[in-house]
Amino acid sequence: MRLLPFEYAVRNLGRSTLRLVLSVLGSFLVVMLVIAAVAFVRGMEKSLIGSGSPDNVILLGAGSAESVERSELSPSVAGLVSASVPGIKTKLGLHYVSPEVHMSLVISARAGEDSTSSAVIRGVTPTAYLVHKQLRIVQGRAPLRGHDEVMVGQLAATRIGWQPEALEVGKTLWFDNRPWTIVGAFAASGTVMDAEIWCPLTDLQIAAKRDSLSCVILTLDGADFSDVDIFASTRLDLEIIAIREDQYYRQLVSFYRPIRLMVWVTASLIAMGGLFGGLNTLYAAFAARFREMGMLQSLGYSRAAVALSLMQESVLISLTGALLASAVALILLEGVAVKISMGAFGLVLDAPTLAIGLAAGLILGVVGAIPPTLNCLRQPIAEALKSA
Amino acid sequence: MIQCEKVTKEYHKGDNVIRPLDGLDLEIPSGHFLALMGPSGSGKTTLLNLIAGIDSPSSGTLRVDGLDLSGLSRGKLAAWRSQTIGYIFQLYNLVPVLTAYENVELPLLLHSMSRKERHRRVAGALDLVDLADRHSHYPRQLSGGQEQRVAIARAIVADPKVVVADEPTGDLDRDSASAIMALLQQLNRVLKKTLIMVTHDPKTADYADQTLHLDKGKLMDGRAASSGSALDDEVTP
């Protein structure tokens, strides 16, 4: 099959500048939306899945498997599990066992301020830095026990809804009616910890007036999960359950499935709107060229060749919009953090996200061109030549 | 040689049958210049389209150089058109986004041909229609007469045996029309192209070797134009 020159398709784009601009803009908006939706969903999944390590096991209060914040267990669990389960990772005689309290507390920037900002605060001991390998302190130092000190994750401000300057090292924040000095900042990219505020375990227990723990997280070495699971199920007095850390966060992913579904449905509906808008534009554009299509066929170009040329035009428009959308998304969305109930996460604008955006642009171009092309070519040549 | 045997073309519109051509018999010798005249709806353009292979008869046989067109698939018919037919339209039908050169080159892209050979043929065709100096002009930069000359160059550039023209001067002023007709006559006489032209204008028809009148899908009469037509003097063979 002999094809029409590609340049013919390219030059046809310039027939109507306004139509070209509107069509590219339509594709741009649809692809931008798809990229944003994909970046959101991938960011959320990455954050949750990245939070769990396959070597870590979480001990939670029985009946609290779906939420560590609602869990309560005895402070003795950390010591008991260290002593009872051989094969827990150790370093210089220190067991990788991290007793933790996870709480959502209302915080404020100033004393007496009527604040509605809540933050996820995690009370930890130094072993937390052994267990949570993703975390690194990027500024300042870890908070010391008994000094009312905290350190903040790099997305904590987004999670709370504050300006990042409010949580700079050296600033003070208030909870439990007393000031807490920010002495450090940490990063735990791609995990839920990134949006948290950490303080010493005992300081938080005093502030929250609780002596129970939320969980104990431990890292396995020679032992495997079943050893911890047997410990949890045989120590009925402790009323605890064991769950792999990565499995815990995978469960959270499924908990957020309705949000993902809503994002996809919204993106799909708007994309369909864009598709129908594009269809309408192409119908008008191609219908104005019935006679030209007839002429090309009268010269000997096959219907397929003419259809392919029209398809090229449509794909060129949609891919131009898609490339623009990718570039703008990289500029505007890269590094943007999104707040959800369990914390905050960064939009993921990696190669797969952009590839999905470009694929959406390509599909938009191809699918959007099929009905107008068929409409254009279903006419017999003789009829097309008589068109206005 | 173009042979039409009992060629009928029917369209169905609801319960009505419209028959633009009704059992037409016609033979057009190779190298002939035939004008088709008749009132609107008489079947002139339908016959032209059948001969050009862009439409198919409902019944009857249409042969061009012995080839029965009704036996060809859509794809083969398209390939046959690209090799055999040059089509000249009343409204030129040039592609507005292509230059005169590129418009003329379009039919050659359907043939296996080097770029150099294409260039030689396009330049030759534009030279023949006296538009060599307008090769880089877009249709909007040309007059109606010039556009039609580009269309003629496009119709002959692939060296087809048959050139069909549907009201080639219908959208032109008298002077431009005369120039176009002189050019078509030259194509017929010098390049020996079989030329079939639909026209409403008897003066335009006078350039042809023969004029046939169609009415209600049937040939009414035939008139062989004298080889010494009054307009012949305007042509330089």
Side-chain angles (χ1 to χ4, degrees):
Chain A
M1 179 176 71
R2 295 280 175 170
L3 302 178
L4 280 154
F6 181 66
E7 206 177 343
Y8 170 71
V10 175
R11 291 213 207 150
N12 274 323
L13 300 181
R15 286 189 185 218
S16 165
T17 310
L18 180 65
R19 196 190 77 225
L20 175 66
V21 169
L22 290 176
S23 303
V24 169
L25 191 64
S27 164
F28 168 84
L29 290 173
V30 169
V31 173
M32 188 78 183
L33 182 81
V34 169
I35 288 176
V38 173
F40 178 89
V41 169
R42 282 177 57 77
M44 189 167 69
E45 287 179 356
K46 191 178 171 187
S47 163
L48 289 171
I49 291 169
S51 299
S53 163
D55 297 332
N56 283 358
V57 177
I58 307 179
L59 294 172
L60 294 163
S64 307
E66 75 284 1
S67 171
V68 71
E69 281 179 43
R70 282 202 289 269
S71 163
E72 284 201 61
L73 66 167
S74 163
S76 61
V77 171
L80 287 170
V81 74
S82 300
S84 308
V85 179
I88 293 174
K89 195 171 180 179
T90 58
K91 189 175 191 178
L92 301 172
L94 194 64
H95 283 92
Y96 280 49
V97 176
S98 170
E100 300 179 3
V101 169
H102 296 219
M103 297 186 77
S104 253
L105 291 177
V106 173
I107 64 168
S108 60
R110 279 170 290 278
E113 191 179 60
D114 190 15
S115 171
T116 56
S117 306
S118 76
V120 175
I121 300 176
R122 188 184 296 218
V124 297
T125 63
T127 52
Y129 305 107
L130 297 175
V131 170
H132 299 293
K133 296 184 287 285
Q134 308 96 318
L135 183 140
R136 59 193 172 83
I137 295 173
V138 292
Q139 193 184 357
R141 58 174 174 77
L144 296 175
R145 193 175 64 179
H147 289 76
D148 289 347
E149 292 176 345
V150 296
M151 66 176 186
V152 295
Q154 59 184 358
L155 293 182
T158 303
R159 167 66 181 82
I160 299 164
W162 287 1
Q163 292 299 314
E165 299 80 51
L167 289 183
E168 282 176 349
V169 173
K171 295 275 175 69
T172 301
L173 55 86
W174 286 70
F175 60 90
D176 186 37
N177 292 319
R178 53 197 167 111
W180 297 71
T181 308
I182 301 169
V183 296
F186 65 88
S189 295
T191 74
V192 295
M193 291 179 282
D194 227 9
E196 293 177 349
I197 294 172
W198 280 24
C199 66
L201 174 66
T202 48
D203 292 1
L204 182 60
Q205 283 175 315
I206 291 164
K209 297 170 187 64
R210 66 181 276 184
D211 41 2
S212 63
L213 301 174
S214 299
C215 64
V216 171
I217 303 175
L218 53 94
T219 303
L220 300 175
D221 191 6
D224 59 34
F225 172 72
S226 60
D227 297 325
V228 185
D229 195 34
I230 288 168
F231 167 78
S233 50
T234 53
R235 288 301 302 261
L236 299 174
D237 56 317
L238 297 176
E239 295 183 10
I240 56 173
I241 57 162
I243 185 167
R244 287 182 193 277
E245 194 180 39
D246 55 352
Q247 188 187 344
Y248 172 79
Y249 284 106
R250 271 202 297 273
Q251 283 176 2
L252 279 187
V253 171
S254 57
F255 176 73
Y256 284 99
R257 191 170 291 149
I259 293 179
R260 279 185 300 162
L261 188 67
M262 198 178 69
V263 169
W264 282 125
V265 168
T266 307
S268 303
L269 287 175
I270 295 175
M272 280 172 69
L275 181 69
F276 284 117
L279 274 175
N280 192 34
T281 309
L282 284 181
Y283 256 109
F286 290 175
R289 285 159 54 193
F290 276 166
R291 196 147 51 86
E292 188 174 306
M293 301 300 113
M295 179 278 292
L296 290 170
Q297 290 177 78
S298 76
L299 292 185
Y301 285 99
S302 64
R303 280 188 189 208
V306 177
L308 197 64
S309 184
L310 294 176
M311 203 74 86
Q312 284 172 345
E313 286 180 40
S314 173
V315 169
L316 275 170
I317 289 170
S318 61
L319 280 186
T320 304
L323 285 171
L324 278 174
S326 301
V328 172
L330 279 173
I331 294 167
L332 296 183
L333 301 182
E334 179 73 49
V336 168
V338 178
K339 173 186 171 183
I340 58 172
S341 61
M342 61 107 206
F345 59 86
L347 296 181
V348 174
L349 275 164
D350 55 3
T353 302
L354 295 177
I356 290 171
L358 290 174
L362 187 66
I363 291 167
L364 195 70
V366 173
V367 175
I370 290 173
T373 300
L374 291 178
N375 178 54
C376 203
L377 295 179
R378 75 183 158 78
Q379 273 197 316
I381 304 172
E383 291 293 314
L385 288 172
K386 282 194 278 188
S387 299
Chain B
M1 170 80 84
I2 298 166
Q3 296 167 294
C4 302
E5 290 173 19
K6 300 194 185 321
V7 168
T8 296
K9 181 68 186 176
E10 287 179 350
Y11 299 105
H12 294 267
K13 207 168 188 179
D15 293 336
N16 298 326
V17 177
I18 300 163
R19 195 168 289 138
L21 286 179
D22 191 2
L24 185 129
D25 290 308
L26 176 66
E27 279 194 6
I28 307 168
S30 294
H32 202 58
F33 185 174
L34 174 70
L36 291 170
M37 294 189 72
S40 294
S42 59
K44 310 180 294 291
T45 299
T46 303
L47 177 59
L48 202 70
N49 288 340
L50 292 178
I51 291 170
I54 62 176
D55 206 352
S56 310
S58 305
S59 63
T61 310
L62 200 154
R63 289 193 184 86
V64 177
D65 283 343
L67 181 71
D68 184 356
L69 299 188
S70 58
L72 298 180
S73 66
R74 185 183 285 167
K76 284 186 176 165
L77 204 54
W80 174 83
R81 279 199 302 273
S82 72
Q83 289 168 349
T84 316
I85 299 293
Y87 207 128
I88 301 166
F89 307 91
Q90 179 181 352
L91 296 175
Y92 332 128
N93 284 349
L94 298 180
V95 179
V97 294
L98 300 181
T99 63
Y101 182 97
E102 290 161 338
N103 267 289
V104 176
E105 191 184 26
L106 269 179
L108 296 182
L109 299 173
L110 290 159
H111 299 263
S112 298
M113 198 178 284
S114 67
R115 180 185 286 264
K116 193 176 169 187
E117 174 62 10
R118 280 206 309 271
H119 176 75
R120 190 186 69 76
R121 289 219 196 183
V122 173
L126 283 171
D127 199 34
L128 187 73
V129 299
D130 202 21
L131 281 177
D133 58 336
R134 296 279 198 276
H135 67 95
S136 59
H137 285 53
Y138 286 91
R140 65 176 180 277
Q141 298 169 314
L142 300 171
S143 68
Q146 287 172 329
E147 280 195 79
Q148 191 60 298
R149 281 194 276 157
V150 173
I152 291 170
R154 182 181 63 190
I156 60 166
V157 72
D159 196 22
K161 290 176 183 168
V162 180
V163 175
V164 296
D166 191 1
E167 303 267 15
T169 59
D171 207 45
L172 298 176
D173 60 59
R174 175 51 60 189
D175 288 345
S176 299
S178 297
I180 291 298
M181 286 317 300
L183 184 57
L184 290 180
Q185 200 170 50
Q186 189 182 357
L187 293 182
N188 171 247
R189 295 198 175 166
V190 178
L191 301 179
K192 306 296 181 198
K193 304 289 177 199
T194 302
L195 202 75
I196 303 157
M197 174 181 71
V198 164
T199 182
H200 278 106
D201 181 8
K203 285 188 178 171
T204 300
D206 278 344
Y207 284 87
D209 298 331
Q210 185 185 15
T211 301
L212 293 177
H213 290 262
L214 277 161
D215 192 21
K216 293 177 183 168
K218 291 178 184 292
L219 280 174
M220 298 309 291
D221 58 359
R223 171 179 71 85
S226 69
S227 56
S229 164
L231 294 166
D232 276 0
D233 293 342
E234 295 179 27
V235 181
T236 307

